[in-house]
């Protein structure tokens, strides 16, 4: 469609470009500072020479992190929880969402009310711990994979996405002899790539970033890397808090450098996944958020 540029529209789009550029700077500059601080020498950090470009490049902070015992085992645990947690969550959410997307199904409204009620009111930490302990899931990896596999928000998003698929397609499939299992696998899922990719991203980010539930339900050999890095950050905070003593400035700079490296190591893998899912993300959220 041909558009006509007038002074008013040019000024309007220029203002939008300026605002978006400022938003980009607000998001990008802190991240660049973290990268620069993690790669800079202690002297450059102490002298305040580091902004968004590394000064006196060295990899001491990364060597320090990678030299911690069990670091790679914790990283492997996180990858395990993220991959298998996401797969289990997708399977459970799809199997729960598809029947609830059928408004003619008896009991549909009652189950939806239970889902919404549980989204706002939960039992609390102690009842959850007692429940997981009584199910003999505590101190096992299933304590992370099973109780958190269905998120109510993701479920409602996928229900609305399934509702957006034309009912005529499913009716034609029924006439051709498919049952509802076949319709789900051969028709609904191939048409729901955007919605499934969106909740897969949400779920993967949750399992990647989660450390609190791991602290409660897992033993140390099963800790994810986020909990491992949190302990490193706490240790370096105590190191940096000694800045008033002799050599304290170097310790404070090393503390900042290690914290920056920890942030980068813990967030970079999940950030790298985002560009591959981004093209589904907007469509999945928009279609899934429309009430059917």
């Amino acid at each position: 469609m041909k558009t006509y540029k007038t002074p008013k529209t040019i000024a309007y789009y220029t203002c939008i470009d300026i605002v978006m550029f400022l938003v980009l700077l607000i998001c990008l500059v802190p991240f660049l500072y973290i990268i620069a601080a993690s790669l800079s020498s202690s002297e450059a950090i102490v002298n305040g020479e580091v902004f968004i470009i590394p000064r006196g490049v060295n990899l001491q902070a990364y060597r320090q992190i990678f030299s911690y015992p069990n670091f790679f085992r914790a990283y492997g645990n996180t990858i395990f929880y993220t991959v298998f947690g996401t797969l289990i969550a997708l399977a459970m959410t799809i199997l729960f969402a598809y029947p609830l997307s059928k408004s003619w199904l008896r009991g549909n409204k009652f189950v939806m009310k239970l889902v919404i009620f549980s989204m706002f009111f939960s039992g609390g930490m102690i009842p959850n711990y007692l429940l997981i302990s009584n199910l003999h899931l505590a101190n096992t990896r299933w304590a992370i994979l099973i109780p958190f596999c269905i998120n109510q928000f993701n479920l409602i998003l996928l229900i609305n996405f399934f509702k957006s698929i034309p009912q005529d397609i499913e009716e034609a499939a029924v006439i051709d002899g498919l049952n509802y299992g076949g319709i789900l696998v051969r028709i609904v899922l191939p048409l729901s790539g955007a919605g499934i990719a969106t909740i897969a991203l949400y779920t993967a980010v949750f399992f990647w970033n989660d450390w609190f539930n791991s602290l409660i339900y897992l033993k140390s050999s099963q800790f994810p890397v986020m909990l491992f890095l949190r302990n490193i950050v706490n240790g370096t905070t105590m190191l940096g808090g000694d800045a008033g003593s002799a050599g304290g400035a170097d310790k404070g700079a090393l503390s900042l450098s290690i914290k920056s490296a920890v942030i980068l190591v813990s967030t970079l893998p999940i950030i790298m996944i985002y560009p591959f899912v981004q093209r589904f993300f907007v469509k999945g959220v928009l279609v899934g958020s429309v009430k059917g």
Side-chain angles (χ1 to χ4, degrees):
M1 183 177 67
K2 187 176 182 179
T3 58
Y4 296 95
K5 293 183 179 179
T6 64
K8 189 176 180 180
T9 57
I10 292 174
Y12 175 74
Y13 286 114
T14 302
C15 288
I16 291 178
D17 290 341
I18 292 172
V19 170
M20 295 306 296
F21 181 72
L22 291 176
V23 171
L24 176 65
L25 283 182
I26 292 171
C27 296
L28 195 59
V29 168
F31 193 69
L32 293 177
Y33 174 75
I34 291 296
I35 296 175
S38 70
L39 294 172
S40 298
S41 64
S42 301
E43 293 78 11
I45 295 175
V46 170
N47 295 330
E49 299 172 355
V50 178
F51 182 47
I52 59 174
I53 300 176
R55 300 289 184 183
V57 175
N58 73 56
L59 301 175
Q60 183 183 358
Y62 292 96
R63 282 197 292 268
Q64 182 81 21
I65 294 173
F66 295 150
S67 67
Y68 283 109
N70 302 325
F71 172 79
F72 290 102
R73 184 174 66 180
Y75 226 105
N77 288 338
T78 293
I79 294 173
F80 175 83
Y81 297 135
T82 302
V83 172
F84 286 95
T86 303
L87 292 176
I88 293 172
L90 282 179
M92 299 295 286
T93 306
I94 289 170
L95 292 176
F96 199 178
Y98 184 60
L100 290 181
S101 67
K102 308 301 176 191
S103 56
W104 47 262
L105 189 67
R106 186 174 298 178
N108 179 301
K109 293 182 179 178
F110 176 73
V111 176
M112 279 303 301
K113 288 178 181 176
L114 289 179
V115 169
I116 294 172
F117 181 83
S118 66
M119 187 164 63
F120 294 104
F121 303 98
S122 65
M125 184 187 301
I126 302 302
N128 281 339
Y129 181 80
L130 293 176
L131 174 63
I132 292 175
S133 296
N134 289 333
L135 291 174
H136 304 291
L137 295 177
N139 295 324
T140 71
R141 298 179 190 276
W142 296 110
I144 299 299
L145 299 177
I146 297 298
F148 308 100
C149 64
I150 293 182
N151 177 278
Q152 294 92 337
F153 176 79
N154 293 342
L155 180 68
I156 293 172
L157 201 68
L158 199 59
I159 289 172
N160 288 329
F161 199 97
F162 286 158
K163 285 182 177 178
S164 70
I165 297 175
Q167 189 65 30
D168 297 343
I169 299 177
E170 296 189 32
E171 290 174 356
V174 171
I175 293 173
D176 288 340
L178 275 180
N179 57 25
Y180 282 102
I183 293 173
L184 175 65
V185 173
R186 299 177 65 176
I187 295 177
V188 175
L189 293 185
L191 293 176
S192 306
I196 293 172
T198 301
I199 66 168
L201 178 64
Y202 282 153
T203 309
V205 170
F206 167 78
F207 280 110
W208 184 272
N209 289 331
D210 180 60
W211 63 270
F212 185 71
N213 294 316
S214 305
L215 179 65
I216 296 174
Y217 299 120
L218 298 180
K219 51 188 178 184
S220 59
S221 62
Q222 299 165 339
F223 280 174
V225 73
M226 284 299 175
L227 188 53
F228 191 84
L229 296 178
R230 170 185 170 273
N231 295 336
I232 294 177
V233 169
N234 285 343
T236 54
T237 300
M238 295 175 62
L239 185 70
D242 196 26
S245 62
D250 286 342
K251 290 181 179 178
L254 180 60
S255 168
L256 176 61
S257 184
I258 291 177
K259 286 179 185 175
S260 303
V262 164
I263 293 172
L264 205 61
V265 167
S266 59
T267 57
L268 194 59
I270 203 71
I271 290 175
M272 292 173 66
I273 293 175
Y274 183 77
F276 298 100
V277 187
Q278 189 270 341
R279 63 194 178 100
F280 300 108
F281 190 72
V282 176
K283 183 180 177 183
V285 172
L286 284 178
V287 176
S289 63
V290 176
K291 184 179 179 181

